[in-house]
Amino acid sequence: MPSRIRNKIIFLTCLLFFVAGGFLIYRYWVMQKPFAVILFVSENFTPSTLSAARLFAGGADYRFPMESLPYLALASPRARDYAIADVAAAASSIATGQLVNRGALSVTPEGQTLVTLLDEARRLGRATGLVANTPLTEPATAAFFAAGFDARDPDTIAVHLLEQAPLDLMLGG
């Protein structure tokens, strides 16, 4: 066999091993970051309403596409000062991971502003946005960007949303 063909075969073999090794290293040892995190928050969407919707849509064996998502969680948050949370306290506990008092938006009882999911995403250089079928000044969505405001004051929340909220996308009903 001529040396030129032999060299080409050796080169292609080495290239193949290099590509295969790189793939294996990337696949099994490199920590992969998620491209995007999308959080769907639905008010009063319980397993019983999901079951009823499933029966209506296609029967007991029917599954919604959202049920095939890799991560799905149900939360039943409570308020820090009361066993049953209002919308502001429930949304704040989802947005911050901490319990707050009823009527508070992402703020502790001592008045400290809590870090929300959107704040953390922005700190990590991610694009952020809110999409809701309600106005963005509603407590359920405002808890993700507004902290320390009265949940019953949509005008102040709207001013904060337009002037200071760290959002790249805002769509509300």
Side-chain angles (χ1 to χ4, degrees):
M1 174 180 341
S3 65
R4 181 178 251 182
I5 293 175
R6 182 176 51 96
N7 290 343
K8 286 182 180 181
I9 291 173
I10 291 172
F11 171 74
L12 289 175
T13 304
C14 290
L15 182 65
L16 179 67
F17 280 119
F18 178 74
V19 169
F23 173 77
L24 290 174
I25 289 172
Y26 180 76
R27 177 79 169 97
Y28 295 107
W29 288 290
V30 173
M31 180 68 149
Q32 296 183 16
K33 294 182 182 179
F35 174 73
V37 176
I38 301 172
L39 175 67
F40 294 96
V41 178
S42 178
E43 198 174 333
N44 295 326
F45 191 62
T46 61
S48 59
T49 57
L50 179 63
S51 296
R54 188 183 305 122
L55 289 172
F56 179 77
D61 294 331
Y62 181 77
R63 293 291 176 254
F64 288 109
M66 74 170 192
E67 293 178 283
S68 66
L69 292 172
Y71 301 103
L72 184 67
L74 296 174
S76 57
R78 58 181 172 73
R80 189 176 204 178
D81 61 345
Y82 200 69
I84 309 244
D86 64 343
V87 175
S92 294
S93 70
I94 293 170
T96 64
Q98 297 185 32
L99 297 177
V100 300
N101 287 344
R102 289 173 53 114
L105 287 174
S106 303
V107 66
T108 65
E110 296 80 29
Q112 292 179 323
T113 301
L114 297 171
V115 178
T116 66
L117 291 171
L118 291 178
D119 295 334
E120 188 66 21
R122 178 63 79 168
R123 186 186 67 77
L124 295 172
R126 304 285 187 183
T128 58
L130 278 175
V131 179
N133 62 352
T134 61
L136 294 178
T137 56
E138 292 283 322
T141 52
F144 287 88
F145 64 86
F149 296 102
D150 183 7
R152 297 164 296 181
D153 186 10
D155 295 334
T156 307
I157 294 171
V159 170
H160 175 76
L161 174 65
L162 293 175
E163 292 178 354
Q164 299 173 7
L167 298 171
D168 298 311
L169 172 71
M170 297 180 282
L171 298 173

